[in-house]
Amino acid sequence: MTRSTPLHLRPWRTGDFGAVLEALASPDMDRQFPSGETAEARAEQWLGWATGLIARPAGFAFAVCADDDEPLANLAATAIDRHDVGWVSYWTTCRARGLGIAADALAALVPWLHDEAGVWRLELGHRLNNPASGRIAERAGFLREGVERAKLKYEGRRYDTARWARLADDPRPKARRTVEL
Ligand SMILES: CC(C)(COP(=O)(O)OP(=O)(O)OC[C@H]1O[C@@H](n2cnc3c(N)ncnc32)[C@H](O)[C@@H]1OP(=O)(O)O)[C@@H](O)C(=O)NCCC(=O)NCCS
């Protein structure tokens, strides 16, 4: 796999359990998944949520895959409200990191979210100590709107986050590789 390997997006399926379990094993993924007794239970709960994300208002989740159809990353746009504002999130499996996969897939998904899903404003946030996430947002044409102080609390410690957003009439991003929706 390289930085130019073509990608496609597809809905999550129950058969993706193994890939989700593998993704969850990475320590920095802990906060992307619901809490639970075991990794299997957490993966199952997450997959149940993701496979149901196929329409507004709950939103959409897509597995990002290369030609073997195995998930390499997740892209979601959820909680789409009556103001046509939605929340974007993403993660990449360990083996797919460092290849710009989330950035390219999000750049390709953004026009669909605006034009087909009718989301006017897309928002996302990340802890300030996760600059790669901000770079992905920037590459997908999001603008940084500011810092939300002490927005998140993990293990008793509070974290500032950066808020990014893009509007349907902001300049459209260009993926650096082929990404099929
Ligand atoms: C954040 C995450 C999705 C990034 O994974 P990735 O797709 O492999 O990201 P990449 O390595 O391709 O890096 C994306 C961009 O950030 C840049 N970047 C990476 N580390 C960086 C750093 N420390 N400072 C600044 N930029 C950085 C890369 O150079 C790249 O930019 P480019 O494409 O213009 O070169 C991945 O680490 C992850 O899944 N983390 C856990 C979940 C998470 O934090 N999700 C986001 C929550 S808001």
Side-chain angles (χ1 to χ4, degrees), residues 95-115:
R95 72 189 172 100
R97 296 223 180 143
L99 295 171
I101 285 175
D104 286 334
L106 185 58
L109 182 61
V110 151
W112 185 89
L113 288 170
H114 289 312
D115 300 340

Side-chain angles (χ1 to χ4, degrees), residues 1-2 19 22-23 26 64-66 68-73 92-99 101:
M1 200 161 23
T2 69
E22 192 187 321
S26 172
V64 182
C65 308
D68 66 358
D69 215 30
E70 278 294 304
L72 300 168
T92 309
T93 60
C94 279
R95 72 189 172 100
R97 296 223 180 143
L99 295 171
I101 285 175

Side-chain angles (χ1 to χ4, degrees), residues 150-171:
K151 165 105 169 170
L152 300 177
K153 185 175 84 169
Y154 294 121
E155 288 93 40
R157 180 174 164 200
R158 303 209 68 94
Y159 293 87
D160 294 349
T161 61
R163 168 60 64 97
W164 295 72
R166 56 160 295 122
L167 308 181
D169 58 357
D170 282 340

Side-chain angles (χ1 to χ4, degrees), residues 3 26-33 72-74 87-104 124-127 129-139 152 162 176-177:
R3 288 187 159 265
S26 172
D28 65 359
M29 294 286 248
D30 202 46
R31 291 154 189 166
Q32 307 293 321
F33 285 82
L72 300 168
N74 172 60
W87 183 258
V88 168
S89 58
Y90 34 81
W91 50 252
T92 309
T93 60
C94 279
R95 72 189 172 100
R97 296 223 180 143
L99 295 171
I101 285 175
D104 286 334
L124 66 84
H126 62 85
R127 282 183 294 146
N129 62 358
N130 189 4
S133 182
R135 180 70 186 129
I136 289 165
E138 189 178 11
R139 282 210 21 217
L152 300 177
R176 294 182 190 171
R177 71 177 95 196

